[in-house]
Amino acid sequence: MPSSLTRIGGWLHARAENLLALMLAVMFAVFILQIVFRYLLNFPIGWTHEVSVMMWLWLVLFGTAFVVRDSEEIRFDILYGAARGRLKRAMVLLTGLTLVALFTISLPAVIDYIMFMKVERTAYLKIRFDYLYSIYGIFAVAMIVRQLWLCGRAVWGKDQDEFDPTKAGSGV
Protein backbone atom coordinates (compact mmCIF):
# COMPACT_ATOMS: atom_id res chain seq x y z
CA MET A 1 0.00 0.00 0.00
CA PRO A 2 1.39 3.42 -0.88
CA SER A 3 2.80 5.34 2.05
CA SER A 4 0.46 8.30 1.47
CA LEU A 5 -2.60 6.02 1.82
CA THR A 6 -1.09 4.47 4.93
CA ARG A 7 -0.46 7.91 6.38
CA ILE A 8 -4.01 9.08 5.59
CA GLY A 9 -5.46 5.87 7.03
CA GLY A 10 -3.41 6.33 10.19
CA TRP A 11 -4.58 9.91 10.53
CA LEU A 12 -8.25 8.90 10.05
CA HIS A 13 -7.84 6.08 12.59
CA ALA A 14 -6.38 8.51 15.13
CA ARG A 15 -9.29 10.93 14.59
CA ALA A 16 -11.77 8.09 15.07
CA GLU A 17 -10.02 7.23 18.35
CA ASN A 18 -10.26 10.92 19.35
CA LEU A 19 -13.98 10.89 18.61
CA LEU A 20 -14.41 7.77 20.74
CA ALA A 21 -12.54 9.40 23.60
CA LEU A 22 -14.80 12.47 23.28
CA MET A 23 -17.92 10.27 23.36
CA LEU A 24 -16.65 8.51 26.47
CA ALA A 25 -15.87 11.86 28.14
CA VAL A 26 -19.37 13.18 27.35
CA MET A 27 -20.96 9.99 28.66
CA PHE A 28 -18.94 10.21 31.88
CA ALA A 29 -19.65 13.92 32.36
CA VAL A 30 -23.43 13.57 32.00
CA PHE A 31 -23.34 10.51 34.26
CA ILE A 32 -21.64 12.55 37.00
CA LEU A 33 -24.05 15.42 36.35
CA GLN A 34 -26.96 13.02 36.73
CA ILE A 35 -25.63 11.80 40.10
CA VAL A 36 -25.07 15.34 41.36
CA PHE A 37 -28.55 16.50 40.38
CA ARG A 38 -30.33 13.38 41.63
CA TYR A 39 -28.57 12.74 44.93
CA LEU A 40 -27.06 16.05 45.98
CA LEU A 41 -29.62 18.53 44.66
CA ASN A 42 -32.63 16.17 44.84
CA PHE A 43 -33.65 17.28 41.37
CA PRO A 44 -33.50 14.38 38.89
CA ILE A 45 -32.98 15.31 35.24
CA GLY A 46 -33.87 12.90 32.44
CA TRP A 47 -31.90 14.22 29.50
CA THR A 48 -28.64 12.98 31.02
CA HIS A 49 -29.86 9.41 30.79
CA GLU A 50 -30.72 9.93 27.10
CA VAL A 51 -27.28 11.35 26.35
CA SER A 52 -25.58 8.47 28.20
CA VAL A 53 -27.52 5.86 26.24
CA MET A 54 -26.87 7.66 22.93
CA MET A 55 -23.16 7.95 23.64
CA TRP A 56 -22.97 4.28 24.63
CA LEU A 57 -24.76 3.17 21.45
CA TRP A 58 -22.57 5.29 19.18
CA LEU A 59 -19.40 4.48 21.14
CA VAL A 60 -19.84 0.71 20.76
CA LEU A 61 -20.97 0.65 17.12
CA PHE A 62 -18.69 3.42 15.83
CA GLY A 63 -15.75 1.98 17.75
CA THR A 64 -16.34 -1.53 16.42
CA ALA A 65 -16.77 -0.27 12.86
CA PHE A 66 -13.78 2.09 12.66
CA VAL A 67 -11.37 1.72 15.58
CA VAL A 68 -11.15 -1.84 16.89
CA ARG A 69 -8.78 -3.95 14.81
CA ASP A 70 -9.60 -7.54 13.92
CA SER A 71 -6.85 -8.82 16.23
CA GLU A 72 -8.36 -6.84 19.14
CA GLU A 73 -11.87 -8.24 18.84
CA ILE A 74 -13.13 -10.49 21.59
CA ARG A 75 -13.88 -13.99 20.38
CA PHE A 76 -13.88 -17.62 21.35
CA ASP A 77 -10.83 -18.65 19.41
CA ILE A 78 -9.67 -21.96 20.87
CA LEU A 79 -10.05 -23.72 17.51
CA TYR A 80 -9.09 -20.69 15.43
CA GLY A 81 -5.97 -20.07 17.52
CA ALA A 82 -4.87 -23.69 17.13
CA ALA A 83 -5.35 -23.72 13.34
CA ARG A 84 -2.53 -22.88 10.97
CA GLY A 85 -2.09 -22.18 7.27
CA ARG A 86 -4.84 -23.23 4.89
CA LEU A 87 -7.20 -24.38 7.64
CA LYS A 88 -7.00 -21.01 9.36
CA ARG A 89 -7.57 -19.16 6.08
CA ALA A 90 -10.54 -21.44 5.32
CA MET A 91 -12.02 -20.63 8.73
CA VAL A 92 -11.57 -16.89 8.12
CA LEU A 93 -13.16 -17.23 4.68
CA LEU A 94 -16.14 -19.24 5.97
CA THR A 95 -16.76 -16.86 8.85
CA GLY A 96 -16.30 -13.78 6.69
CA LEU A 97 -18.61 -14.95 3.93
CA THR A 98 -21.26 -15.94 6.48
CA LEU A 99 -21.12 -12.51 8.11
CA VAL A 100 -21.16 -10.74 4.73
CA ALA A 101 -24.24 -12.75 3.71
CA LEU A 102 -26.06 -12.07 6.99
CA PHE A 103 -25.29 -8.35 7.05
CA THR A 104 -26.10 -7.98 3.34
CA ILE A 105 -29.42 -9.83 3.66
CA SER A 106 -30.43 -7.72 6.65
CA LEU A 107 -29.22 -4.37 5.26
CA PRO A 108 -32.37 -3.42 3.27
CA ALA A 109 -34.59 -4.10 6.31
CA VAL A 110 -32.18 -2.21 8.58
CA ILE A 111 -32.18 0.84 6.31
CA ASP A 112 -35.96 0.65 5.94
CA TYR A 113 -36.39 0.54 9.73
CA ILE A 114 -33.95 3.42 10.27
CA MET A 115 -35.89 5.51 7.73
CA PHE A 116 -39.18 4.55 9.38
CA MET A 117 -37.92 5.74 12.77
CA LYS A 118 -37.86 9.38 11.59
CA VAL A 119 -41.38 9.68 12.99
CA GLU A 120 -40.20 9.03 16.57
CA ARG A 121 -38.19 11.33 18.81
CA THR A 122 -36.44 10.92 22.15
CA ALA A 123 -38.46 11.98 25.18
CA TYR A 124 -36.32 14.84 26.52
CA LEU A 125 -34.02 16.08 23.77
CA LYS A 126 -36.44 15.42 20.89
CA ILE A 127 -33.71 13.87 18.73
CA ARG A 128 -35.11 11.90 15.81
CA PHE A 129 -34.57 8.16 16.19
CA ASP A 130 -33.42 7.81 12.58
CA TYR A 131 -30.44 10.03 13.43
CA LEU A 132 -29.81 8.06 16.59
CA TYR A 133 -29.99 4.64 14.93
CA SER A 134 -28.22 5.62 11.70
CA ILE A 135 -24.98 4.42 13.27
CA TYR A 136 -26.20 0.84 12.92
CA GLY A 137 -26.51 1.19 9.14
CA ILE A 138 -22.99 2.63 9.03
CA PHE A 139 -21.79 -0.20 11.27
CA ALA A 140 -23.40 -2.86 9.03
CA VAL A 141 -21.80 -1.45 5.86
CA ALA A 142 -18.41 -1.17 7.61
CA MET A 143 -18.68 -4.80 8.75
CA ILE A 144 -19.47 -5.95 5.21
CA VAL A 145 -16.41 -4.10 3.87
CA ARG A 146 -14.17 -5.35 6.69
CA GLN A 147 -15.22 -8.98 6.24
CA LEU A 148 -14.78 -8.79 2.46
CA TRP A 149 -11.27 -7.43 3.02
CA LEU A 150 -10.48 -10.27 5.46
CA CYS A 151 -11.89 -12.80 2.97
CA GLY A 152 -9.68 -11.35 0.25
CA ARG A 153 -6.62 -11.67 2.47
CA ALA A 154 -7.55 -15.28 3.24
CA VAL A 155 -8.05 -16.16 -0.44
CA TRP A 156 -4.74 -14.62 -1.51
CA GLY A 157 -2.90 -16.35 1.33
CA LYS A 158 -2.03 -13.37 3.45
CA ASP A 159 -2.16 -14.56 7.03
CA GLN A 160 -3.01 -12.18 9.77
CA ASP A 161 -0.15 -11.44 12.10
CA GLU A 162 0.09 -14.02 14.81
CA PHE A 163 -1.42 -12.85 18.08
CA ASP A 164 1.19 -11.75 20.57
CA PRO A 165 -0.29 -11.43 24.08
CA THR A 166 2.59 -9.19 25.14
CA LYS A 167 1.46 -6.57 22.61
CA ALA A 168 -2.28 -6.75 23.30
CA GLY A 169 -4.01 -3.42 23.66
CA SER A 170 -7.33 -2.28 25.03
CA GLY A 171 -8.81 -1.79 21.56
CA VAL A 172 -9.57 1.85 22.18
Side-chain angles (χ1 to χ4, degrees), residues 3-143:
S3 64
S4 61
L5 286 179
T6 304
R7 199 170 41 252
I8 291 168
W11 185 85
L12 288 172
H13 188 266
R15 300 302 70 82
E17 285 181 334
N18 295 147
L19 190 56
L20 278 184
L22 178 64
M23 284 187 236
L24 188 60
V26 168
M27 189 171 77
F28 180 72
V30 296
F31 175 72
I32 295 300
L33 190 65
Q34 183 178 23
I35 290 171
V36 168
F37 270 79
R38 176 169 297 210
Y39 297 109
L40 296 179
L41 302 176
N42 199 24
F43 185 71
I45 49 179
W47 65 267
T48 55
H49 177 71
E50 276 187 12
V51 171
S52 292
V53 169
M54 284 185 258
M55 288 298 105
W56 179 251
L57 176 70
W58 274 73
L59 188 118
V60 169
L61 295 176
F62 182 85
T64 302
F66 299 111
V67 176
V68 177
R69 292 176 176 91
D70 190 57
S71 63
E72 297 169 335
E73 288 181 359
I74 298 171
R75 65 182 89 182
F76 296 107
D77 64 352
I78 293 171
L79 297 175
Y80 178 78
R84 297 284 179 255
R86 286 184 140 160
L87 177 61
K88 191 174 199 173
R89 290 197 319 264
M91 292 169 76
V92 169
L93 188 61
L94 179 65
T95 304
L97 290 176
T98 302
L99 288 172
V100 166
L102 292 173
F103 275 114
T104 303
I105 289 167
S106 70
L107 196 57
V110 164
I111 292 171
D112 187 46
Y113 186 73
I114 290 169
M115 300 306 273
F116 167 74
M117 290 306 291
K118 71 181 172 189
V119 299
E120 296 288 328
R121 294 181 183 270
T122 62
Y124 289 95
L125 298 175
K126 305 297 182 202
I127 297 172
R128 287 178 23 183
F129 275 122
D130 60 334
Y131 295 154
L132 179 61
Y133 294 135
S134 65
I135 189 60
Y136 186 78
I138 295 166
F139 165 78
V141 170
M143 289 297 101

